[in-house]
Every structure is written in structure tokens, then in C-alpha cells.
Amino acid sequence: MDKQRLTLSVLTLLPLAVACGTETPGGDPAGTRASSVTAAHATGVTGVHWTVDSLTVDGRTARSPGGAYLRIDRDGRVSGNLGCNGFGSTATVKDDHVDFGDVRMTEMACGKTPMAFERSLARVVARDTFTTAVKGDELTLTTRDGDRIDLTEEADVPLHGTKWTITSVGVGDVARPVPAGAAAYFVLDRRRGTLSGRLGCNTVSAKATVRDGHITLGAARTTRMVCDASLMSTEHALLGLFDGTVDYVLDHRSIALTSTNGTHVTATADK
């Protein structure tokens, strides 16, 4: 039976400051404490970005409108998207079963089709226990009533060679979105051992060595243009990443960087 455990709230799903690992210091991105994962590696369910392909309820199958996904981290934290809104939760994974905790959602409004799919998917996710079946890159979650979610594994984008568009930058506990028009980004080149990109106003390049979840960046070499004050402020903050060591966490199409001096940056992969 449906427990009706959905809780609507504004939820920030992408951590602003991330140390090496998958947790946000002092925070809980799911809005609740993580649950347990037992025999997680045997199930093959955790640590994977699962794209929702379709939802079958009462024998009727609806294709996903796109954008819906599910990720269960190895510590039991859950994040995802229901077709329009993002959500967070916890999960207990044991053998071939998974049980989700309370679900917290953002509150955006989208088109009729995504919202209809989202409502159905949210009701199914809120149910007691699912049986899991993994076959190759496909996952099926089935309720005791026979309703089913079909998902496909989607690999993380590569760290090297991807254009990472910077979305926020900050120091310490404060982070701000990159101002409109900044067009800040970076690309790591494995063969050359470099990072290149734009800081919001000027272009930048530096030596870059990637090893064991860290990026060691050399001194920044930049052009010398002067731009709007907001762009220059963003650029000044981004320069704090250079000439030192940066921890990184890659999560599907997102990356979080944190330098030893407290500068933190989030970025997303260009499509």
C-alpha cells in the first residue's frame, strides 16, 4: 500500500562545498540521515546513475518524458529527478530488495506530460519495498503489487576532455551562482597535462596533474582584460583554485572542486 510519505519542500540537490568523498561537510543533501546498505555490491544497484525509461502502473506503461533519474549512493543517500522536480531520500538496500524512506521534492511546475508522469512515479517510489533485478546495464524495480520502474545505467561523463561550465563559486560557507554572461568553464587535457578555460572575463591555462581524487594545479596564466565588476569578482574567486591542490568529486554530469584554501566550485558538463 502507498504510505503517502511525500513531503514537498525546497531541496538543494547539488552540494556547494564538497571535500574528497561523496558527503557535503555538515550537510545532508537528502534532507534526512542516510539509511543502510547491505550487500550493496552484490545487487549492483548503488553508486550508479539510473535513467528512468518507463513506468508501468496497473498494467499500463508510460514512457519517461526525459530527465527522470535515480541514484542510490553506497551510504544509502538517494537523489534523483521525477520528470520535473528533483528529489532526495534515503534507502535501505538488502540482497535484492530496496526500501525508500521519506521523499523530499522541489516545487517547480512543468508541462502537463512531465507533471503527470512525475505524480505517478512519486506515488510508486513512496511505496514500501521494491524487488530489484539487474541485467547488464538495465535495472527493474518492482512493487509487491506488480507496478514496475524500468531504468538504464548512464555512465559518468569523463573528467578529461569534457567542457565543464562553472555554475557556482565560493569561499568557506558562502557560495554564489556565476553571474549571467560570465561563460566560465574549464577543460582538462590528459595528454598535455593542462587545464584551460575562461574565468568569467579572461582565459586561463595551467599545468594540471590528476591523481587519487585530487588535481594539482600550477600557477594560472591569464589574459589581461578588464570586465564588469561582477565578472572580475568571480574571476578573482576562481583564481583561488590555482597553484595548489584541489579535491574533486565527479557525479554523473556534475563536478565539485574544493581547494585547500577553502575555495569551492561546482560545474556541469556541456551536452
Side-chain angles (χ1 to χ4, degrees), residues 115-130:
M115 292 302 292
F117 184 87
E118 174 169 297
R119 285 192 293 270
S120 296
L121 181 57
R123 285 194 294 268
V124 172
V125 170
R127 293 185 179 175
D128 293 308
T129 302
F130 291 84

Side-chain angles (χ1 to χ4, degrees), residues 55-200:
L55 172 66
T56 300
V57 178
D58 296 331
R60 297 182 179 181
T61 298
R63 300 293 300 176
S64 170
Y69 75 91
L70 169 70
R71 182 183 179 93
I72 305 174
D73 289 334
R74 291 185 174 89
D75 63 359
R77 298 176 192 270
V78 176
S79 59
N81 187 286
L82 295 168
C84 174
N85 283 280
F87 76 96
S89 185
T90 60
T92 299
V93 182
K94 185 175 183 180
D95 300 325
D96 63 346
H97 292 84
V98 59
D99 184 15
F100 294 101
D102 293 343
V103 176
R104 294 175 178 267
M105 299 168 55
T106 55
E107 296 179 292
M108 297 185 297
C110 298
K112 182 177 179 180
T113 298
M115 292 302 292
F117 184 87
E118 174 169 297
R119 285 192 293 270
S120 296
L121 181 57
R123 285 194 294 268
V124 172
V125 170
R127 293 185 179 175
D128 293 308
T129 302
F130 291 84
T131 299
T132 67
V134 178
K135 184 177 180 180
D137 63 351
E138 297 178 346
L139 168 66
T140 302
L141 301 176
T142 307
T143 71
R144 285 177 289 187
D145 295 333
D147 294 339
R148 187 177 74 249
I149 307 172
D150 292 308
L151 311 95
T152 301
E153 178 179 357
E154 187 173 332
D156 291 345
V157 298
L159 175 65
H160 291 88
T162 297
K163 182 180 179 181
W164 294 103
T165 298
I166 298 170
T167 54
S168 73
V169 59
V171 178
D173 295 331
V174 179
R176 294 183 176 85
V178 171
Y185 72 91
F186 65 90
V187 178
L188 288 161
D189 188 313
R190 186 194 302 273
R191 184 177 63 83
R192 295 181 178 179
T194 61
L195 176 148
S196 60
R198 181 177 294 277
L199 299 174

